[in-house]
Amino acid sequence: MSTTKPCGQLADGVSKLASITSLVAATAVSQAFGRFTYSVLYIEIRDDFDLSNTLAGSIGSLNLVGYLLGSLLVAYTIGNLGLVRTARHGLLGVIIGLLLLTWAPNMAVVTFALFLTGLAAAGVWVTAPALATKILGVEKQGLAVGWVTAGVGLGFFFACVFDAALQTWRSVYQIEALLGITTFALLYLSIKTSEATSSQSGISPAALRQIPGWLNLCLTYGLFAIAASLTLTFSAALLEDDAGFKEQSASLVFALIGLGLALGGPTVGWLADRIGRKATQLASLASLIASCVLITTGLPFVAPAGTLLFGIAFTGVVVNITTKVSSHLDGEAFGAAYAVLTIVFAAGLAVGPQLGGIIADSSGSFRPALLLSAACGFCALCLTFKDLDLADRNR
C-alpha cells in the first residue's frame, strides 16, 4: 500500500514565480540543451568527425535510448526519491553530460555524453509537470504544464541563437553547461522536499489504466514521438543541405521552433483549461502535419512559418497529453504513471533519428524523412478521432 507525501514545497521566502522559473529553466537545460541541441548542431558534428547520416543519426538515437532507460529508472526510483530529489539528480546528470561535451576530443566521448544527458533528462521531465501543478494549483494544471513545456522552447531557441553566434559547437555546449550549473543552484534553493518516503515504486501500468483511453493515448504519444524526433533532428539539415540555406540562416530559422514552443506552452495550456483538451489536441495534430509539409518545401517564408507552427503544435500535443494524465493522477502516482507513458514516448523518439538517417543516405535528401513525420502525425490524428468517437458512444 502506497503512502502520500508532499511532492515539493516552496522554500522559505521564495515566491511561486521564482519556483516556476526554476522549473522552466530546468526543463530548458535538460530537454533543450541535453537532448535537442544535438539536432541544432547535427551538421557541424557530423562534418567535424566525418560521419555518414546513418551513423550521425544513430548517435542521436542513443541519446533517446538513454532517455528511454532513464524513464525506466525514474519509474523504479521515484517512490523512494520523491519528485524533487528525482528532478535534482536528473538535472545534475545532464550538467555532467554537457561538461563532457565542452571537451569531447572524439566521437566516443560525444556518444557517451549524449547518452548520459538523455538518461538524466528523464528525471526532470517526468517530475516537472507534477511539481508545477503542485505550485500553481490543480485548477491551473494546463497552465502549469504549459509553462514547463515553454522552458523547452526557450532553451531550444537560445541553443539556435548560440549556434549562430558562436564559432564552434563545443562553445555552444560551454555556454549551456554554465547555464545548467546556475539553474541547478536556483532549483535547489527555490524548491524544498519532504523527508517522508513512499512505498510506491516501479512501473505502474495499473495507475495508467485509470485514465480513460489509456492504450490509445500511448499509441498516439508514440506516433507523435516518431514525428517529432524526425522533424527536430532533420529540419535544420534539410534547410542547409536540400534548401541551400546558409548555416547561420538555417540555425535562426530553426530557432523559430523554439519560439513556437515558448509561445505555445502557456497559450495552449490556457486554452486547454478553457475550451478543453479535445479541441486543442485535434488542432495541434492537424497543425503538426501541416508544419512538416511546409518545412519540406524549403521555400523562403514558407519553411520558417512551418518551423514556427511545428513548435506550437509540438507544445499543444505534449500539454494536452500531460494534462490528461495530471487530471486523473497526482503526486508520485502521476510520476510513476507518467514515467510509463514517457517510456512509450522515448521509444518513439529513439526510432526517428536512426530511421531518418537511413532514409537520407538512401534517397540523398532529408525531405522524405519530413514527409514520414507528417504521415506519423496523420496516424496520430486518426487515433485521436477514434478515441473521441468511442468516448461519444460510451456516454
Side-chain angles (χ1 to χ4, degrees), residues 36-303:
F36 298 144
T37 293
Y38 179 72
S39 302
V40 179
L41 303 174
Y42 178 89
I43 295 292
E44 296 166 65
I45 295 176
R46 182 198 67 182
D47 293 346
D48 192 14
F49 292 103
D50 194 25
L51 305 174
S52 67
N53 285 310
T54 299
L55 184 55
S58 298
I59 293 168
S61 291
L62 278 177
N63 174 266
L64 300 169
V65 169
Y67 188 60
L68 172 61
L69 295 176
S71 301
L72 285 166
L73 184 62
V74 169
Y76 278 107
T77 60
I78 195 169
N80 293 323
L81 291 177
L83 297 176
V84 177
R85 289 190 183 92
T86 300
R88 289 175 181 172
H89 289 10
L91 184 58
L92 183 60
V94 171
I95 293 169
I96 293 172
L98 292 174
L99 288 172
L100 287 173
L101 287 166
T102 66
W103 164 60
N106 53 56
M107 206 59 225
V109 176
V110 172
T111 302
F112 173 76
L114 287 172
F115 176 82
L116 178 60
T117 58
L119 181 77
V124 178
W125 183 249
V126 170
T127 56
L131 288 170
T133 299
K134 184 74 174 179
I135 292 170
L136 294 184
V138 177
E139 70 281 358
K140 295 181 180 179
Q141 59 184 359
L143 183 61
V145 175
W147 273 117
V148 296
T149 306
V152 183
L154 289 171
F156 194 87
F157 176 81
F158 282 109
C160 295
V161 173
F162 296 155
D163 180 41
L166 300 174
Q167 294 296 318
T168 68
W169 59 268
R170 290 182 182 86
S171 298
V172 174
Y173 280 122
Q174 287 172 2
I175 297 296
E176 292 182 346
L178 290 174
L179 290 174
I181 294 170
T182 303
T183 298
F184 182 82
L186 179 61
L187 180 68
Y188 189 88
L189 294 174
S190 62
I191 302 178
K192 64 181 181 179
T193 184
S194 170
E195 293 298 325
T197 59
S198 170
S199 61
Q200 182 170 327
S201 62
I203 299 176
S204 302
L208 189 61
R209 290 192 187 102
Q210 297 177 33
I211 303 171
W214 67 273
L215 182 57
N216 199 312
L217 185 69
C218 289
L219 292 173
T220 300
Y221 210 23
L223 285 166
F224 164 68
I226 296 173
S229 64
L230 285 167
T231 305
L232 288 170
T233 303
F234 298 111
S235 288
L238 184 151
L239 294 174
E240 286 187 44
D241 281 11
D242 292 346
F245 282 60
K246 293 182 179 179
E247 181 181 321
Q248 287 80 5
S249 298
S251 295
L252 292 176
V253 169
F254 203 40
L256 292 175
I257 291 180
L259 184 60
L261 285 165
L263 295 175
T267 302
V268 174
W270 179 81
L271 283 174
D273 286 336
R274 281 156 180 78
I275 67 174
R277 292 187 302 270
K278 296 178 181 179
T280 51
Q281 180 74 319
L282 291 173
S284 297
L285 287 170
S287 298
L288 177 75
I289 298 167
S291 68
C292 293
V293 175
L294 292 175
I295 296 171
T296 302
T297 67
L299 296 173
F301 301 108
V302 176

